Amino acid sequence: MQGEAWKIAKPQVCRLLERETTATKELENLATQLNEAYQHTAQNFSSNAAVRIELVDGKETLVLKGLDKIEEPSSLKLLRRQMEDLLPRVDLPEVLLEVQAKTGFALEFTHVSEAFARVQDLPTSICAVLLAEACNIGLEPLVRADVPALTKDRLSWVKQNYLRQETIVKANACLVDAQANIPLAQSWGGGEVASESWIALPLFQFVQLILALILNILVWDVGLLTIILPLTSLRAFIVS
């Protein structure tokens, strides 16, 4: 989100996140918090049994005491096994292709110079490139010389000409719209906020989430944005 759309949404986003609307004021608040934390730590350092300073190779090194292990109750272990049994055993490429089949998000990726240019099996190539980028494994593991949509030249060409911020934003909007139509997602709320680790965030924060449907936690950096999304979206698609 940028330009006039961001100017309009900015006050609401900042209010929901309890953030200042200017970077200067936000940095001043962070500096104050850091100073208070430093002073508090310094005052309690000598009486804190969990931390100490040791000489390592002639240098003072901060050493933290290890946390005591908390044994997991049998009920928690049972619950974990039951949850794992509910998840389907599928490969990530299969999941991404299924999400593409359900939503058609790959069609939002257009050629940088020929908006209406299409090649055969382009969605397969798009999904492969997205998977390589999201998992940070490069294109090589996904290359198949016997599959035209997965040759090295095709994937490199798709990455260079189809993956852009504007196409990612459009594909994201497609995914958001598709999720909004899932009965389970509708039962969670109206779509204005999303939950991550019990923290409510406005939906504006979840831009460029393409592969968030296929990973437990996916971090995708685009400019100054870092997006983190749990697996709940994928589970909603699977059960729908």
Side-chain angles (χ1 to χ4, degrees):
M1 183 176 294
Q2 54 190 343
E4 289 299 320
W6 168 241
K7 290 181 180 180
I8 296 174
K10 182 178 179 180
Q12 181 182 1
V13 172
C14 293
R15 184 171 61 255
L16 288 172
L17 295 177
E18 299 181 351
R19 300 266 72 91
E20 300 291 342
T21 56
T22 63
T24 300
K25 183 61 177 177
E26 190 66 33
L27 290 174
E28 290 176 353
N29 293 342
L30 291 174
T32 300
Q33 295 175 23
L34 177 61
N35 181 63
E36 291 176 351
Y38 177 82
Q39 296 295 337
H40 179 76
T41 301
Q43 293 172 4
N44 294 279
F45 187 86
S46 59
S47 59
N48 190 344
V51 62
R52 65 184 185 277
I53 298 293
E54 290 185 357
L55 285 177
V56 178
D57 297 330
K59 298 181 180 179
E60 293 184 343
T61 303
L62 183 67
V63 179
L64 300 178
K65 178 183 177 182
L67 298 175
D68 295 331
K69 181 180 179 180
I70 300 178
E71 296 295 335
E72 294 184 345
S74 56
S75 58
L76 177 58
K77 295 179 181 178
L78 175 61
L79 177 61
R80 181 179 293 112
R81 290 196 299 270
Q82 291 176 336
M83 292 298 295
E84 290 176 351
D85 291 340
L86 290 175
L87 293 176
R89 280 3 182 216
V90 294
D91 292 332
L92 289 182
E94 294 178 3
V95 177
L96 185 55
L97 288 171
E98 181 175 345
V99 173
Q100 146 59 24
K102 285 178 175 287
T103 65
F105 73 84
L107 299 178
E108 301 297 335
F109 290 88
T110 55
H111 193 278
V112 64
S113 60
E114 304 174 45
F116 299 101
R118 285 292 164 188
V119 295
Q120 187 174 5
D121 295 328
L122 179 62
T124 300
S125 303
I126 292 290
C127 289
V129 172
L130 290 175
L131 188 62
E133 291 293 304
C135 296
N136 196 28
I137 58 176
L139 298 176
E140 203 62 39
L142 298 168
V143 170
R144 289 278 302 275
D146 58 327
V147 180
L150 297 177
T151 62
K152 186 174 183 178
D153 289 343
R154 164 72 81 85
L155 296 182
S156 297
W157 177 74
V158 167
K159 180 179 178 180
Q160 294 173 6
N161 292 283
Y162 285 84
L163 259 67
R164 309 185 303 280
Q165 182 171 346
E166 61 183 272
T167 56
I168 291 175
V169 169
K170 291 180 179 179
N172 168 75
C174 178
L175 290 174
V176 172
D177 290 342
Q179 178 173 306
N181 293 324
I182 299 174
L184 179 59
Q186 293 174 355
S187 68
W188 288 338
E192 286 80 15
V193 298
S195 175
E196 167 57 32
S197 300
W198 301 286
I199 300 176
L201 298 177
L203 197 59
F204 314 119
Q205 296 296 96
F206 292 91
V207 296
Q208 296 153 331
L209 54 73
I210 299 300
L211 290 180
L213 298 172
I214 69 168
L215 301 175
N216 280 318
I217 297 178
L218 169 66
V219 178
W220 184 319
D221 293 316
V222 182
L224 298 177
L225 295 176
T226 298
I227 300 86
I228 303 177
L229 198 72
L231 186 61
T232 50
S233 297
L234 170 60
R235 290 171 180 161
F237 268 110
I238 292 175
V239 300
S240 64

